[in-house]
Amino acid sequence: MREIVLPGTAISDQRISAENTYFDGAKTRSEVVGLYDSAHNEVIQLEGRWKPRPGDVVVGIVERVGRNGVYGISLTEAVDGLLIQDKYDNARFAVGDVIEAEIRDVEHKRLAVLERPKLLRAGSLMQIKAVRVPRLIGKANTMITQIIELTGCNIIVGRNGLVWMRGSNVAAATAAVLTVEREAHTSGLTERIKSMLEKINGNESRT
Amino acid sequence: MSALDIVRVGYVKELLAKGQREDSRGMLDFRNISIKTGIIDHAEGSAQVDLGNTRVLAGVKMVVEEPKPDTPNQGNLVMSAELLPLANADYETGPPSPASIELARVVDRGIRAGNCLDLEGMFIEEGKAWSAYVDLYILNYDGNLFDACELAAMAALASAKMPGYKDGAADYTKREKPAKINSIVTSTTFGKIDNKVALDMTGAEESAADGRLTIETDGKIIRAMQKGLSGGFSAEEINGLIQESFKKHAELRKRIEESIR
Amino acid sequence: MGSSLNKPELIVNGKRLDGRDFGELRPIKIEAGVLKNADGSAYLEWGNNKILAAVYGPREATPKHLADPGKAIIKCRYQMAPFSSLGEHNRTGPNRRATEISKVIREVFENVVITSDFPGSEIDIFIEILQGDGGTRAAGLTAASVALANAGIKMKDLVYAVSAGRIGDHVTLDFDMIEDNYSDADMPMAIAPRNNELLLLQMDGGLTIEQFDEAVKMAIGAGKTISALQRDALKRVYETKVSQ
């Protein structure tokens, strides 16, 4: 059973350890607008900014180019990325390039040190709410794999909310991503996205 | 502008160069327009305009003041605009920005030059006349504040009701006759991006634009114009845009009139 | 409190001028997520008050020297629109009243917002009184609370605010503008519903200790209604129809 909780909503009369909650005396309360999943004892945030974590895959835009392979990468309004390239790495980036990278370390909660950068060439970029990214990826990647398979697009989803895509069917992929963003809190979403994309594919093969 | 905005602006620029728009409308089409009047009952007139995702609210207050020395026999029109920080991440608190001053002055010029508000009829008696204070409140920014504000100011004035007048002062407990409107001026603002011209630019399109031209008309003649940004327009181009502006006037005017009924 | 000259009769036949009972709220409507660009927003009508609240952030703190490496800072601006009152035109910009109200509202949110979550950043709260008819600070604070939650800002509680006071011998809830001007005491309060702690408290006029107790009780009673409206507004955002 999943229900919408709000800041201050008591989710338990006992102290239970769950993300996005706090202890108030003997009780546990939600800190956010979220979905409380009592089976898994978690509060899934429905709104709010992304908090960087080591291991997160992000999509960023090169904002500054320093010397010796040092780059400032724009990730979100509140979090900057820093990329220091290995001296054996010859790949060089220019201002405005879109890259995919992984977070190695987070300093002061707002500077993400990046590694393993990859240039994302000539695609299109869109932004969704970062809190909806887990739904877009899906449990064991089910949602995003389905969108990639049914549209034939190459799609990279950054935990920071930037989504890069390339392929002949970007319009369908964009529509699917926006639908997931809008309806992330509803059930049966994976099935609905599947039939939505199959319908688009069906219409196209008929014309 | 954030890095993502820069990427979006680049994308919009590419599209416009091909004669296309991010929301797939025609180059000379307006976005959806909604005009609602009578939103703020404490104001003598008010209107909220939604132009796509741009939202502005105009409020009119009628105040008894001394007429200006150079126009002792008429009332006064005072237009201000505020780019509220809740409308856009880049808007800041503080004194009026040059952009908000230009916006208010351009809207003011068209309405004044078109003699839209009957200022002579706002004279009350020796040393007393009505001043119409029009405040343009920008609530959400997504481009083309000029046309949105012109519609909002015009609809707010045209729907305004005058307070009563008693013993040399306004009597706000009464709302008497409607404010007298002589004509309706509308505005059309075009952007120029890499030699392509687009009407009613979104925020991203405005960031990509080299030049901007606002044309205000009462449907018969041009009442005010303002060219903004650094890019230029040829006389032939402007001539074509004036004709386009006349064409759009009828529809915009109808929308204002419908909002008042 | 207003001058006693020309003081209108505020209670006629045991009822208030607008027909309300002493402990009765004006009608309230709240809608969350009304502005596209803001991270969170709320529109609220409370009697004849019409209020828009919006939240941006957490975002980079400006100017940089204001940033606190240990927590997010909160900024708040309360403003009355120039066309918001029934009488004369008000000039915009900060005045002493608006500056004080902005400060006491900010302090309320400093209590409930979990600021350790985004150190070095700022959270901006903007409250625009589009139409004011008494009790705008309470109504504005109630709207801002919804806007903060709608922005996903972590908070311990969803604070509400309401004002109570005294007309003659009667402890009275939620003054409109006329009552506000001529009442004998006015006491705006902001309350955390989970423990009924008072996070904003201002008072002027005169109250006995018994009247104070009664006013607080009245505010907490009304808080059940206000809190429910705040919660409904936030939940309605997720009642979107699913695609088909």
Side-chain angles (χ1 to χ4, degrees), chain C residues 24-51:
Chain C
E24 194 177 338
L25 281 170
R26 288 173 282 178
I28 300 173
K29 264 176 22 191
I30 312 177
E31 196 184 344
V34 292
L35 293 178
K36 278 262 184 254
N37 289 350
D39 291 294
S41 59
Y43 174 70
L44 174 146
E45 290 185 0
W46 182 317
N48 286 326
N49 290 308
K50 296 185 178 186
I51 294 167

Side-chain angles (χ1 to χ4, degrees), chain A residues 95-157:
Chain A
V95 171
D97 279 352
V98 179
I99 64 163
E100 171 194 356
E102 215 175 288
I103 297 183
R104 190 176 68 204
D105 256 321
V106 179
E107 289 176 14
H108 307 297
K109 298 196 183 181
R110 55 180 317 259
L111 182 70
V113 182
L114 305 176
E115 61 182 2
R116 285 201 264 274
K118 253 187 276 170
L119 181 64
L120 299 174
R121 271 178 229 276
S124 65
L125 199 58
M126 63 186 289
Q127 186 171 36
I128 65 166
K129 289 182 175 176
V131 286
R132 311 284 160 90
V133 166
R135 190 67 195 92
L136 176 57
I137 293 170
K139 289 233 155 69
N141 296 331
T142 42
M143 181 69 87
I144 193 66
T145 308
Q146 170 179 287
I147 297 174
I148 289 171
E149 281 172 0
L150 289 172
T151 60
C153 285
N154 186 2
I155 305 177
I156 309 286
V157 181

Side-chain angles (χ1 to χ4, degrees), chain C residues 110-179:
Chain C
E110 283 171 347
N111 178 288
V112 288
V113 170
I114 297 166
T115 52
S116 57
D117 210 35
F118 285 92
S121 64
E122 76 177 36
I123 296 165
D124 290 287
I125 304 167
F126 301 111
I127 301 169
E128 295 291 340
I129 311 301
L130 303 177
Q131 176 160 295
D133 188 34
T136 57
R137 81 192 64 189
L141 197 151
T142 300
S145 195
V146 174
L148 279 161
N150 179 241
I153 304 288
K154 288 191 176 178
M155 291 189 287
K156 287 188 278 190
D157 213 346
L158 202 56
V159 179
Y160 67 87
V162 65
S163 164
R166 179 173 63 88
I167 299 172
D169 293 333
H170 301 282
V171 172
T172 312
L173 187 76
D174 185 24
F175 292 147
D176 64 18
M177 186 59 102
I178 295 179
E179 292 175 329

Side-chain angles (χ1 to χ4, degrees), chain A residues 32-183:
Chain A
V32 294
V33 178
L35 280 179
Y36 175 54
D37 181 341
S38 50
H40 300 89
N41 250 332
E42 59 178 350
V43 172
I44 303 154
Q45 215 174 338
L46 285 169
E47 306 293 341
R49 294 274 167 110
W50 166 69
K51 271 203 298 193
R53 289 201 177 103
D56 280 359
V57 169
V58 295
V59 171
I61 301 156
V62 178
E63 204 170 26
R64 283 182 309 277
V65 177
R67 289 187 199 180
N68 306 323
V70 178
Y71 298 92
I73 311 291
S74 172
L75 298 177
T76 70
E77 246 191 278
V79 180
D80 291 323
L82 177 72
L83 174 66
I84 303 170
Q85 263 187 324
D86 197 288
K87 62 181 167 189
Y88 303 108
D89 191 342
N90 290 323
R92 287 288 178 264
F93 305 113
V95 171
D97 279 352
V98 179
I99 64 163
E100 171 194 356
E102 215 175 288
I103 297 183
R104 190 176 68 204
D105 256 321
V106 179
E107 289 176 14
H108 307 297
K109 298 196 183 181
R110 55 180 317 259
L111 182 70
V113 182
L114 305 176
E115 61 182 2
R116 285 201 264 274
K118 253 187 276 170
L119 181 64
L120 299 174
R121 271 178 229 276
S124 65
L125 199 58
M126 63 186 289
Q127 186 171 36
I128 65 166
K129 289 182 175 176
V131 286
R132 311 284 160 90
V133 166
R135 190 67 195 92
L136 176 57
I137 293 170
K139 289 233 155 69
N141 296 331
T142 42
M143 181 69 87
I144 193 66
T145 308
Q146 170 179 287
I147 297 174
I148 289 171
E149 281 172 0
L150 289 172
T151 60
C153 285
N154 186 2
I155 305 177
I156 309 286
V157 181
R159 287 276 166 182
N160 54 331
L162 291 186
V163 179
W164 176 90
M165 49 179 79
R166 191 168 75 179
S168 55
N169 209 355
V170 164
T174 304
V177 169
L178 289 175
T179 304
V180 174
E181 184 194 26
R182 199 170 51 240
E183 301 176 10

Side-chain angles (χ1 to χ4, degrees), chain A residues 4-9 19-20 22 24 29-33 45-51 77-80 108-110 132 179 182-183 185-187 189 192 195-196 199, chain C residues 39 56-61 64 69 114 116-121 149-158 194-195 230-232 234-235 237-244:
Chain A
I4 292 179
V5 291
L6 302 169
T9 307
E19 208 168 324
N20 300 318
Y22 72 100
D24 176 24
R29 294 183 189 274
S30 175
E31 295 175 335
V32 294
V33 178
Q45 215 174 338
L46 285 169
E47 306 293 341
R49 294 274 167 110
W50 166 69
K51 271 203 298 193
E77 246 191 278
V79 180
D80 291 323
H108 307 297
K109 298 196 183 181
R110 55 180 317 259
R132 311 284 160 90
T179 304
R182 199 170 51 240
E183 301 176 10
H185 58 286
T186 61
S187 53
L189 187 56
R192 284 205 306 283
S195 58
M196 167 187 169
K199 214 185 211 168
Chain C
D39 291 294
Y56 280 85
R59 57 182 175 181
E60 195 174 356
K64 272 206 159 71
I114 297 166
S116 57
D117 210 35
F118 285 92
S121 64
N150 179 241
I153 304 288
K154 288 191 176 178
M155 291 189 287
K156 287 188 278 190
D157 213 346
L158 202 56
R194 74 186 187 291
N195 56 14
Q230 288 177 306
R231 291 195 301 265
D232 285 352
L234 286 163
K235 288 183 180 172
V237 172
Y238 305 102
E239 279 172 9
T240 46
K241 290 183 195 76
V242 296
S243 59
Q244 211 39 264

Side-chain angles (χ1 to χ4, degrees), chain B residues 19-205:
Chain B
Q20 296 170 4
R21 315 203 55 178
E22 55 177 336
D23 48 14
S24 58
R25 68 192 142 110
M27 295 296 273
L28 297 177
D29 288 348
F30 270 109
R31 289 170 285 179
N32 282 337
I33 300 171
S34 138
I35 309 176
K36 290 187 207 128
T37 59
I39 328 239
I40 304 296
D41 1 302
H42 284 184
E44 276 72 70
S46 62
Q48 178 177 303
V49 170
D50 286 275
L51 187 53
N53 284 330
T54 285
R55 175 176 294 176
V56 305
L57 173 63
V60 178
K61 287 301 293 181
M62 296 289 181
V63 180
V64 174
E65 289 182 331
E66 207 174 311
K68 285 187 163 177
D70 52 339
T71 51
N73 297 319
Q74 63 177 55
N76 198 12
L77 172 67
V78 184
M79 185 85 60
S80 318
E82 198 172 345
L83 308 178
L84 297 175
L86 59 65
N88 190 24
D90 294 335
Y91 290 174
E92 288 169 3
T93 52
S97 62
S100 72
I101 291 169
E102 183 192 27
L103 174 61
R105 288 178 59 84
V106 169
V107 173
D108 179 284
R109 267 206 301 274
I111 290 178
R112 197 177 292 275
N115 193 23
C116 299
L117 184 62
D118 185 26
L119 292 177
E120 280 167 19
M122 284 162 58
F123 174 79
I124 306 170
E125 57 180 313
E126 184 68 30
K128 300 279 182 193
W130 291 107
S131 288
Y133 281 84
V134 183
D135 286 277
L136 301 164
Y137 245 39
I138 314 306
L139 302 179
N140 198 71
Y141 168 76
D142 189 21
N144 200 9
L145 296 178
F146 287 92
D147 297 350
C149 284
E150 184 86 32
L151 287 169
M154 208 58 247
L157 283 168
S159 64
K161 298 254 184 340
M162 305 302 289
Y165 179 77
K166 209 172 122 194
D167 306 330
D171 176 4
Y172 291 104
T173 61
K174 291 204 176 74
R175 288 272 165 78
E176 293 179 340
K177 51 187 190 309
K180 194 176 167 220
I181 299 298
N182 295 322
S183 67
I184 286 181
V185 161
T186 63
S187 122
T188 43
T189 297
F190 303 90
K192 192 169 175 186
I193 300 117
D194 289 344
N195 285 317
K196 287 280 194 315
V197 171
L199 175 69
D200 181 29
M201 291 182 286
T202 64
E205 288 175 339

